[in-house]
Every structure is written in C-alpha cells, then in structure tokens.
C-alpha cells in the first residue's frame, strides 16, 4: 500500500532525533549534559497546577467550544493587548493545543498552492515543513552576525519579494539564534509587509522570556494589526511545554478559519487546562518571574562557559533560552568540514548534547560559518558549568 505523495514535502523537528541519540548514549550509562531541546525542567507554577486539579474535580472534563472557552479567550485578548498597546477582543483569539499548531493553520488560512512565503532560516523548522507540505514555496531569509548579536538581512528580504509573495513569517526573539530586532529593524520589516501587502505570522513564543526591558510586537506598528496573526504559547512562559496550550490572535476573518480548523482537527483544546489558565494569564506573575530568574542564571553560566573556549565569542541574548555560537574556528582547528561530525563526536567524548545549524531549516548556498545551538532551559547551572568545562577541553584539542 502506498502512502500519500505529498508526504515527501513534510519535514519534521530533527532536534527530537538528537534527543533520541542522547537518550541512547545515556542508556549506556553516560551522564548527559542536555543542551539539545528547548524543553524546560522547571516546575509549572503551583497556582496553575492546583487550578488544573480543581478544574478536573469540578468536572471540566468534557468538550468545550472549538474556539476555546470565552473566559480564556477574553483573558488572553486582554493580556496580549495590554502588553502590545493594542485592543483585542475575545473573538480575535482562537485557543490552540500549543503554539505549534498556529503555524500550519495560519498557512492553511492565508496561503494558496504556489504562493511564496518568506521564512527565517536558520529558524524553527516547522515553518519550512508546513509551507512545503501545504503546497507553498518556502523562500528563506537569513541573519548576519554583528557585534551586537544577529540582525536580519532586510535588503535580501526585499530583493526576494515578487508578485507571488504572500506571507512573511517573523520570529522576533528568535529560535535558534536569540535575535531580537531593534526598533528600526522591526519598523523597516513592517514597512515591507505593508508596501507589498503581505500577511504576517509573528511567532511570539518567547515574547515573555525577556531578561530586561519590555518586548515589542510588530503587530503594534500602525498598519500591522490587520495583517498580523500572533503565535502565543503558555509553553515557555509558564514552563508548560507538555500541557499543550497556546493561541492564535489576529483579525477575525482569519481567526474564524482557525476555529473551523480546530473543529475539524481536534474538536477543542483540553477543557480543564483552559479553565486552569483563566486566572493565571494576566494574574499573579510570581511564578513566571521565578522561571525567568532561573533561566537568567543558566544563561549567564552558559555564556561564560562558551566564552571561555578559545575561538568562541558570544553575546548574552536578552531573550529566549538559546545560544547560537559561531564555531567556525573550532571546526578549522579540528580539521572538520561537517558540523554533524562535531556534534556526534562531542556527545561521545564529552557527553554534551547540542543541535547544529542543520536542525533549523535546510542550509542556504554559500553559508560560510558553522553554528551550533545550545538550549539552557533543561539543565541546571552546576551541570552547565561541568558540561562547558568538558566541551572546552574537547573543542580546544586538535
Ligand atoms: C520559535 C518557536 N515557535 C513555536 C514553538 C512551539 O511551541 P509550543 O508548541 O510548545 O507552544 C516553539 C517551540 O520550541 C518555538 O521555538
């Protein structure tokens, strides 16, 4: 029996394969230093856990509206709007089982087969997978490394736009490189979207993972709210990756499509989890604040550990829990040309597990530098320091 041809276009999140390799190595009795997955080993705030138990006990265990329960839609509309100086109503919010489903459903709502979609590469791999699976043309845009971190190649983005370009995917607070747009970069990007009349998916999965200052959204720029769908998730902010709760926020015409797709695909997002979150969103911030404090300590330890390695120099990003060091000099020292070899050998020699640039979209022609990605959300400071010290001696040896 043959499977559908279209499946040849479906990608995946290959970081999970790195996790499997690390698990296999661990099963052989090795202590792993897990920097590979953006999962969080910090407990979900207690008030949310208690509210979930109560919601189950109170009987919120049946189906609920496909769009989400009205109270949660309203709470997210108020919270997301307040932090972006925008006005959203409950009808502008479609509850989702996580942030990830927003990507595919957004494309299903606005993209026709053959439409071109600009997406970040290196970037979250599901963009490329969903664009191609749904018959679009995935047009990558990259970043350049500057003294202040990573910046978007705005000229290249404009150059790539043509009459078939319909959609721009933008991930400020970027996975994997931690990039955060300056106000001017975000403004210029918004002007491009307006000039060429593009739909925008603003993936704001890390909007609340900030170590200083208030995050800004491209949706807040005049002319953008009506063309932007925000990807919102509880996964990172509340350390709830496995609970699966997120939302799409945007113009009602698109949100209505999300709601219809919800009914087709999962009926509704888990009822008691939605109920548990009604007070947490926009409420007590002590739980999320404590998560940020822990992540900040881990970031500082990981950045210090990497900067202690000869040939690596990295800025501490203000957002996300990822580091994307340039390891070109390490590769040269070792005489490697394939970054996968560095990753595989590092695992067996040091027990440190990380992803590489290759896990974040297919590589673009003429890329000169090599990068690896560390997620510090699932590893304690002590182990970060221990792992980085092992990596230092391996990376500095020939
Ligand atoms: C950039 C980005 N977008 C979306 C997601 C999806 O997160 P979730 O589905 O857990 O909410 C992730 C998860 O790692 C991410 O890094």
């Amino acid at each position: 029996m043959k499977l559908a041809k279209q499946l040849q276009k479906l990608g995946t999140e290959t970081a999970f394969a790195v996790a499997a390799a690390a698990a296999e190595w661990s099963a052989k009795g090795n202590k792993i230093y897990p920097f590979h997955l953006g999962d969080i080993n910090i407990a979900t705030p207690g008030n949310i856990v208690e509210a979930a138990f109560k919601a189950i006990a109170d009987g919120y265990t049946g189906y609920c509206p496909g769009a989400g329960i009205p109270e949660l839609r309203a709470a997210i509309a108020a919270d997301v709007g307040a932090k972006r100086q925008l006005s959203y109503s409950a009808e502008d919010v479609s509850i989702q089982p996580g942030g990830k489903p927003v990507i595919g459903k957004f494309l299903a709502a606005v993209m026709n087969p053959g439409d071109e979609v600009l997406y970040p590469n290196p970037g979250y791999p599901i963009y490329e997978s969903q664009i191609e699976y749904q018959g679009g043309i995935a047009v990558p845009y990259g970043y350049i490394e500057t003294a202040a971190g990573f910046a978007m190649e705005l000229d290249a983005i404009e150059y790539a736009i043509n009459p078939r370009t319909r959609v721009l995917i933008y991930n400020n607070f970027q996975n994997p490189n931690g990039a955060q747009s300056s106000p001017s970069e975000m403004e210029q990007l918004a002007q491009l979207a307006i000039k060429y009349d593009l739909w925008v998916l603003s993936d704001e999965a890390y909007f609340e993972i900030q170590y200083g200052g208030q995050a800004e959204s491209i949706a807040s720029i005049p002319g953008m709210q009506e063309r932007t769908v925000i990807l919102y998730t509880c996964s990172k902010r509340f350390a709830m990756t496995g609970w699966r709760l997120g939302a799409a926020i945007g113009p009602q015409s698109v949100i209505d499509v999300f709601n219809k797709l919800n009914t087709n695909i999962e009926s509704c997002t888990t009822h008691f989890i939605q109920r548990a979150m009604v007070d947490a969103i926009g409420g007590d911030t002590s739980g999320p604040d404590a998560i940020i404090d822990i992540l900040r300590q881990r970031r500082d330890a990981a950045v210090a550990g990497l900067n202690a390695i000869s040939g690596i120099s990295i800025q501490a990003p203000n957002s996300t829990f990822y580091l994307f060091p340039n390891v070109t000099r390490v590769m040269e020292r070792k005489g490697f040309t394939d970054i996968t070899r560095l990753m595989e050998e590092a695992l067996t020699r040091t027990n440190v597990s990380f992803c590489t640039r290759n896990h974040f979209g297919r590589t673009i022609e003429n890329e000169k530098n090599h990068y690896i990605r560390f997620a510090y959300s699932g590893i304690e400071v002590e182990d970060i320091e221990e792992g980085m010290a092992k990596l230092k001696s391996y990376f500095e040896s020939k």
Side-chain angles (χ1 to χ4, degrees), residues 12-173:
T12 186
E13 205 173 334
T14 47
F16 286 105
V18 182
E24 204 179 303
W25 188 242
S26 160
K28 291 184 177 148
N30 300 296
K31 173 183 175 174
I32 297 291
Y33 300 92
F35 289 99
H36 46 263
L37 216 55
D39 205 351
I40 309 178
N41 69 342
I42 304 168
T44 303
N47 59 326
I48 299 175
V49 174
E50 279 165 30
F53 276 120
K54 181 169 181 323
I56 295 174
D58 289 348
Y60 292 105
T61 49
Y63 292 123
C64 65
I69 59 172
E71 297 88 334
L72 184 62
R73 294 174 80 193
I76 291 181
D79 186 48
V80 165
K83 292 195 174 121
R84 292 160 183 77
Q85 301 86 47
L86 288 172
S87 165
Y88 285 111
S89 69
E91 288 71 36
D92 302 324
V93 177
S94 176
I95 303 299
Q96 303 294 321
K100 188 182 265 182
V102 176
I103 300 167
K105 289 178 187 171
F106 169 75
L107 291 169
V110 304
M111 185 187 77
N112 289 306
D115 284 348
E116 295 193 6
V117 180
L118 287 157
Y119 74 104
N121 182 337
Y124 191 53
I126 299 308
Y127 308 140
E128 193 176 80
S129 170
Q130 281 294 329
I131 296 165
E132 296 190 337
Y133 182 58
Q134 297 195 40
I137 313 289
V139 180
Y141 66 82
Y143 290 78
I144 32 177
E145 209 178 341
T146 73
F150 289 90
M152 300 176 88
E153 291 194 279
L154 289 167
D155 290 346
I157 293 178
E158 181 155 24
Y159 185 72
I161 297 176
N162 67 59
R164 288 183 306 277
T165 313
R166 286 264 296 163
V167 182
L168 169 71
I169 298 181
Y170 173 49
N171 177 211
N172 199 18
F173 325 117

Side-chain angles (χ1 to χ4, degrees), residues 24-359:
E24 204 179 303
W25 188 242
S26 160
K28 291 184 177 148
N30 300 296
K31 173 183 175 174
I32 297 291
Y33 300 92
F35 289 99
H36 46 263
L37 216 55
D39 205 351
I40 309 178
N41 69 342
I42 304 168
T44 303
N47 59 326
I48 299 175
V49 174
E50 279 165 30
F53 276 120
K54 181 169 181 323
I56 295 174
D58 289 348
Y60 292 105
T61 49
Y63 292 123
C64 65
I69 59 172
E71 297 88 334
L72 184 62
R73 294 174 80 193
I76 291 181
D79 186 48
V80 165
K83 292 195 174 121
R84 292 160 183 77
Q85 301 86 47
L86 288 172
S87 165
Y88 285 111
S89 69
E91 288 71 36
D92 302 324
V93 177
S94 176
I95 303 299
Q96 303 294 321
K100 188 182 265 182
V102 176
I103 300 167
K105 289 178 187 171
F106 169 75
L107 291 169
V110 304
M111 185 187 77
N112 289 306
D115 284 348
E116 295 193 6
V117 180
L118 287 157
Y119 74 104
N121 182 337
Y124 191 53
I126 299 308
Y127 308 140
E128 193 176 80
S129 170
Q130 281 294 329
I131 296 165
E132 296 190 337
Y133 182 58
Q134 297 195 40
I137 313 289
V139 180
Y141 66 82
Y143 290 78
I144 32 177
E145 209 178 341
T146 73
F150 289 90
M152 300 176 88
E153 291 194 279
L154 289 167
D155 290 346
I157 293 178
E158 181 155 24
Y159 185 72
I161 297 176
N162 67 59
R164 288 183 306 277
T165 313
R166 286 264 296 163
V167 182
L168 169 71
I169 298 181
Y170 173 49
N171 177 211
N172 199 18
F173 325 117
Q174 217 258 11
N175 179 8
N177 65 23
Q180 177 163 356
S181 289
S182 65
S184 129
E185 183 179 88
M186 195 188 281
E187 175 68 34
Q188 289 177 67
L189 192 67
Q191 292 316 321
L192 283 182
I194 294 166
K195 181 173 167 190
Y196 295 101
D197 197 20
L198 305 178
W199 278 108
V200 174
L201 174 66
S202 183
D203 182 338
E204 301 185 3
Y206 300 93
F207 189 88
E208 264 101 3
I209 308 294
Q210 301 286 322
Y211 304 105
Q214 171 61 47
E216 301 288 338
S217 169
I218 197 165
S220 307
I221 295 175
M224 288 304 294
Q225 188 178 8
E226 54 269 40
R227 63 180 66 252
T228 304
V229 169
I230 294 173
L231 180 156
Y232 173 93
T233 177
C234 296
S235 288
K236 320 287 174 173
R237 175 184 183 195
F238 297 105
M240 289 176 60
T241 52
W243 292 59
R244 310 311 299 144
L245 187 64
I249 301 115
Q252 267 181 42
S253 60
V254 190
I255 294 305
D256 288 347
V257 181
F258 272 88
N259 295 339
K260 200 168 177 185
L261 288 167
N262 291 355
T263 307
N264 274 268
I265 298 169
E266 64 268 329
S267 291
C268 62
T269 296
T270 312
H271 194 170
F272 55 82
I273 292 178
Q274 292 193 51
R275 185 59 53 185
M277 290 309 290
V278 171
D279 294 330
I281 303 236
D284 177 10
T285 64
S286 57
D289 291 349
I291 293 170
I292 295 291
D293 285 344
I294 296 171
L295 291 174
R296 184 186 289 105
Q297 288 167 26
R298 295 180 181 183
R299 176 197 65 169
D300 293 346
V303 167
L306 284 170
N307 279 331
I309 300 173
S310 158
I312 294 184
S313 168
I314 184 163
Q315 301 284 325
N318 185 48
S319 173
T320 76
F321 35 65
Y322 303 115
L323 301 172
F324 199 56
N326 184 334
V327 290
T328 311
R329 287 174 60 198
V330 173
M331 293 284 284
E332 284 164 5
R333 187 184 299 138
K334 293 202 162 287
F336 291 178
T337 51
D338 179 5
I339 192 77
T340 304
R341 183 163 169 211
L342 186 76
M343 176 193 81
E344 288 174 355
E345 211 176 89
L347 178 65
T348 53
R349 300 271 178 91
T350 68
N351 297 340
V352 177
S353 174
F354 52 82
C355 289
T356 75
R357 184 268 175 266
N358 296 350
H359 297 95

